[in-house]
Amino acid sequence: MLLPLIIIFGIRGGIFTPTEAGAVAAAYAFIINKFVYKDMDWKDIPEAFINAGKMSAMVVFIIAGANLFGWLLTAEQIPQQLAQLVMNATENKYLILFIFNIIFFIAGCFLNASAAITILTPLLLPIALGAGIDPVFFGLIMVVNLSIGLITPPVGLDLFIVKGIAEVSYDKLIKAVIPFIAVMVFDLFIITYFPAISMFLTTL
């Protein structure tokens, strides 16, 4: 229960970087496993390192593929064409938000979140500002959309991570995650069309 708090408050408090947070979390998990729950023996440590290496390698390959796909989209000027399509389609603020949601959601399904933000923000932010959309709100719906995309088939990055950790079949995992996706999409609808709920802090 303390592990997420250590990571979040450690990063937000400026105590350590996200990379260092991974090391701190690993050390904390080892101490709890070894000395509190006593589930781990010294002979289990090499196997733990091997499993961690396998998991890290899998994630790196997926991210590399997603970044390569992002480079291909950029080279073919697909994001620019999408931005031009949005500008030509409508000037209605709410319709633009709906189109943004679709673009971000699809991008989150296929791209690493960092790559999607880097590619799409310079293209779509000027459109958002022109439609009177708050830039903080624009960033909010982008992050929420990309987060949903990370657990959405067929390429949701987090799905593959969970699959490797839980050692369950991909089909079973997809069926289990559908209710969560539905709830998150409903939450996204509320965030998008009732901005006062999520933006009240910025108005204080």
Side-chain angles (χ1 to χ4, degrees), residues 44 107 110-111 119 141 175 187:
D44 297 324
F110 292 98
L111 293 174
I119 293 169
I141 62 171
K175 291 177 182 177
D187 290 344

Side-chain angles (χ1 to χ4, degrees), residues 101-197:
N101 279 332
I102 294 175
I103 294 172
F104 294 147
F105 181 77
I106 294 173
C109 291
F110 292 98
L111 293 174
N112 177 24
S114 300
I117 292 171
T118 303
I119 293 169
L120 294 174
T121 300
L123 297 170
L124 299 182
L125 181 58
I127 300 174
L129 296 176
I133 299 170
D134 187 291
V136 176
F137 183 65
F138 172 83
L140 175 64
I141 62 171
M142 174 183 276
V143 170
V144 172
N145 266 290
L146 295 176
S147 299
I148 298 173
L150 286 172
I151 62 166
T152 304
V155 192
L157 175 63
D158 287 357
L159 288 180
F160 287 94
I161 296 174
V162 172
K163 178 183 180 298
I165 294 173
E167 297 181 350
V168 297
S169 68
Y170 194 64
D171 293 341
K172 185 177 180 180
L173 185 60
I174 291 174
K175 291 177 182 177
V177 82
I178 287 175
F180 294 94
I181 296 174
V183 171
M184 292 175 74
V185 169
F186 179 72
D187 290 344
L188 177 63
F189 174 82
I190 295 175
I191 291 170
T192 302
Y193 295 108
F194 300 93
I197 296 175

Side-chain angles (χ1 to χ4, degrees), residues 64-74 110-111 119:
N67 286 341
L68 180 60
F69 183 61
W71 175 85
L72 182 62
L73 289 178
T74 304
F110 292 98
L111 293 174
I119 293 169

Side-chain angles (χ1 to χ4, degrees), residues 2-21:
L2 286 176
L3 187 58
L5 297 179
I6 292 172
I7 294 171
I8 293 171
F9 287 109
I11 294 173
R12 297 299 299 169
I15 300 172
F16 41 66
T17 67
T19 303
E20 292 166 347

